[in-house]
Amino acid sequence: MSDSAPAAPPVRPPTVRARTDHDLDACTRVLTTVHEQDGYPVNWPEHPHTWLTPAPLVAAWVAERDGHVVGHIGLSRADATDVAPGLWAARTGVGAETTAVVNRLFVSPAARGHGIGALPVARATAEARARDLHPVLDVVESDAAAAALYERLGWHHLATLDQRWSPEQTVKIRCYAAPATR
């Protein structure tokens, strides 16, 4: 018989996997916590499941830690409301249709500080590149933590501009493009 305490179970590293419809409730719970703490999304969606599955969605993933959904990311085709694809197209001389928009990234506040945010960004970026598309995104300027993440990951700031979300709401957004592949 040993006097030592039992060994703690090994900590499994966080993982990223394809999101399924069965994950939407867990994603909504995490999104609710993120919105309450960070104000993301700026405007709470009337139907969070629909917000997580926008029409031009190509793919979506969840980040898991210890078997629990702690984050989410989506990859969409550009639509008329996206500014970053046009900025990238103007800068590079290619069409906006050559881009994919990384969107709906959020990580549970309780799971932050473990590199979890970088994992889904890497997965979405890899998927865009596999489709021969250049990843771009925008982030509300007030979300300094998100902007810092993208800049840490080497994303290039394209511009900061005002975007009209409704007749009553104009929001300042920062647009980014993923670094070029080598």
Side-chain angles (χ1 to χ4, degrees):
M1 181 171 238
S2 170
D3 289 335
S4 63
V11 174
R12 296 186 316 221
T15 59
V16 175
R17 64 169 173 78
R19 188 196 75 202
T20 69
D21 288 344
H22 298 290
D23 295 317
L24 289 173
D25 287 339
C27 290
T28 298
R29 284 190 297 275
V30 174
L31 184 62
T32 299
T33 303
V34 169
H35 179 72
E36 289 169 353
Q37 179 168 320
D38 302 333
Y40 177 83
V42 171
N43 299 320
W44 182 253
E46 184 176 346
H47 303 285
H49 286 201
T50 303
W51 185 82
L52 290 167
T53 55
L57 187 71
V58 172
W61 300 268
V62 293
E64 289 185 316
R65 185 170 183 224
D66 298 326
H68 299 284
V69 171
V70 296
H72 177 275
I73 197 165
L75 184 69
S76 297
R77 295 302 300 220
D79 69 19
T81 64
D82 294 311
V83 177
L87 291 171
W88 176 251
R91 179 173 284 192
T92 61
V94 300
E97 71 279 359
T98 65
T99 65
V101 179
V102 174
N103 57 22
R104 312 299 198 255
L105 173 63
F106 54 90
V107 174
S108 167
R112 294 177 188 162
H114 301 281
I116 293 172
L119 295 175
V121 172
R123 181 65 189 94
T125 300
E127 181 65 24
R129 293 187 195 288
R131 294 171 181 261
D132 292 324
L133 300 170
H134 194 87
V136 297
L137 60 84
D138 61 56
V139 61
V140 175
E141 186 179 49
S142 61
D143 192 348
L149 169 67
Y150 300 127
E151 291 172 10
R152 235 183 357 266
L153 296 176
W155 285 62
H156 303 288
H157 179 240
L158 299 171
T160 300
L161 45 88
D162 290 333
Q163 188 176 38
R164 190 166 213 62
W165 285 3
S166 74
E168 302 80 32
Q169 186 180 32
T170 300
V171 179
K172 193 167 286 298
I173 59 168
R174 294 176 60 87
C175 297
Y176 288 90
T181 57
R182 299 184 210 288

